[in-house]
Amino acid sequence: MPQSHLYTIFSRQYDTNASETYGAIVRALVSGGARVGIWADLYDLMAQTGFREVAYAERISLLDSIRSSAAILSVGGDGTFLAAAKMVIGSQVPVLGINRGRLGFLSDVAPDAIQSAVNDLLAGNYRTVDVAAINMYADGTREPIGYAINEFAISKCDNSSMLTLDTYVDGDFLTTYWADGLIIATPTGSTAYSLSVGGPIVAPTSHSLIVTPVAPHNLSIRPLVLPDNVVINILVDGRSPNVMASFDGQTHLMPNGGRLRIAKANIGVKRIQLASYSFFRSLREKLMWGADSRNNDNKKPEERRS
């Protein structure tokens, strides 16, 4: 009899208020004949707090989860999904997001849909979508300082005056941004930080990069969508000794005057999308995109007429 596939549960923290969600995941996997793994740090927290279903699971290290898992089940918000994705970036292990956060745009499985989601997962009723990542190099370094799945952002780190950001695309001068910062986002990240400062929504399957200034002082400057095979170089200047570089919200201080190079990474992440997933439904329901009382709670035309 062939050995069952291993599915590993990941979360950055364990909230006892979410114990029913975790329990539902474990029970659904076990009843479907799957092996259940729980990321080691999470397993220890569960065991310490008396989570009963931990008895049906295996304690899995990061390395073993990459080597052995058929999929990672990320339980939390979009930040947790990004953390899980960065753990397995460059591997063939796909990630499914189960939402316990506020928005859940990447973690799109609702807690009340866990049983059906696990059934579809075990039955293979899903597709995997390649999620692009970008990396950033500083001052001619050969190794990237960091990877980003949503966005890379450069910004001032205090209340000093704006930054001056001389920006080049494939060596061709684009413009000088006089702004509080600049965001380079992936299509996945177009609905995150970039959107909050006026950037466009881009379909996740688009092969593009979005350049969005933060509080630009050039009134004619607008966000720009570029193909994802370009290399973006930025020369940073400001009055403070340091600037802040951010990779999906994780910040690093860098010395002022740096030369940055941002490009699409040659590795990415595989995201699981169940058969019921719809990007445009997520826009309507989670971002309230196009919400209008005349649309009868944002329903589709055929639903409004029924």
Side-chain angles (χ1 to χ4, degrees), residues 8 21 28 161 175 181-182 214 266 283:
T8 298
T21 297
S161 60
T175 192
L182 190 65
V214 179
N266 57 7
L283 284 183

Side-chain angles (χ1 to χ4, degrees), residues 134-136 152 184 230-234 260-264:
I134 53 177
N135 50 31
M136 190 271 281
F152 161 74
I184 312 296
V230 302
V231 175
I232 300 171
N233 285 279
I234 304 172
L260 310 179
R261 177 166 64 90
I262 299 101
K264 182 181 177 181

Side-chain angles (χ1 to χ4, degrees), residues 41-293:
D41 290 0
L42 179 62
Y43 184 101
D44 294 342
L45 290 172
M46 287 177 164
Q48 292 168 12
T49 55
F51 178 65
R52 291 179 299 175
E53 281 83 355
V54 77
Y56 302 99
E58 304 170 36
R59 186 180 186 274
I60 302 295
S61 69
L62 170 59
L63 184 59
D64 285 340
S65 69
I66 296 174
R67 285 176 174 172
S68 308
S69 296
I72 303 293
L73 280 65
S74 166
V75 184
D78 288 347
T80 302
F81 181 95
L82 292 173
K86 287 185 178 180
M87 286 173 50
V88 300
I89 190 169
S91 75
Q92 295 299 307
V93 181
V95 182
L96 175 67
I98 298 173
N99 186 32
R100 282 292 307 182
R102 292 184 294 272
L103 180 61
F105 203 77
L106 294 172
S107 301
D108 56 283
V109 176
D112 60 3
I114 286 172
Q115 184 65 61
S116 61
V118 171
N119 290 345
D120 284 344
L121 180 66
L122 298 182
N125 295 330
Y126 65 88
R127 58 185 179 272
T128 58
V129 177
D130 291 326
V131 177
I134 53 177
N135 50 31
M136 190 271 281
Y137 302 79
D139 296 323
T141 55
R142 291 192 173 186
E143 294 297 323
I145 290 178
Y147 291 93
I149 295 168
N150 266 358
E151 75 278 312
F152 161 74
I154 188 77
S155 59
K156 60 184 187 178
C157 57
D158 53 31
N159 292 324
S160 63
S161 60
M162 61 192 171
L163 296 176
T164 302
L165 302 152
D166 297 326
T167 305
Y168 297 77
V169 177
D170 283 345
D172 191 11
F173 179 62
L174 171 63
T175 192
T176 296
Y177 292 96
W178 303 80
D180 286 354
L182 190 65
I183 300 167
I184 312 296
T186 66
T188 301
S190 72
T191 52
Y193 187 15
S194 175
L195 179 64
S196 72
V197 295
I201 295 174
V202 177
T205 52
S206 302
H207 300 286
S208 56
L209 297 174
I210 304 104
V211 183
T212 309
V214 179
H217 293 242
N218 329 52
L219 296 181
S220 60
I221 290 290
R222 293 293 182 270
L224 178 66
V225 179
L226 298 169
D228 67 0
N229 60 352
V230 302
V231 175
I232 300 171
N233 285 279
I234 304 172
L235 279 63
V236 184
D237 188 25
R239 293 186 179 178
S240 294
N242 297 304
V243 294
M244 187 177 296
S246 172
F247 306 88
D248 293 339
Q250 296 182 340
T251 57
H252 305 268
L253 281 181
M254 299 182 61
N256 182 37
R259 295 171 177 263
L260 310 179
R261 177 166 64 90
I262 299 101
K264 182 181 177 181
N266 57 7
I267 58 175
V269 177
K270 292 188 177 296
R271 177 188 176 193
I272 292 174
Q273 290 182 349
L274 301 176
S276 59
Y277 173 79
S278 166
F279 170 69
F280 300 110
R281 185 176 67 244
S282 291
L283 284 183
R284 294 193 307 272
E285 294 179 355
K286 297 190 176 184
L287 294 186
M288 301 302 293
W289 192 73
D292 191 310
S293 60

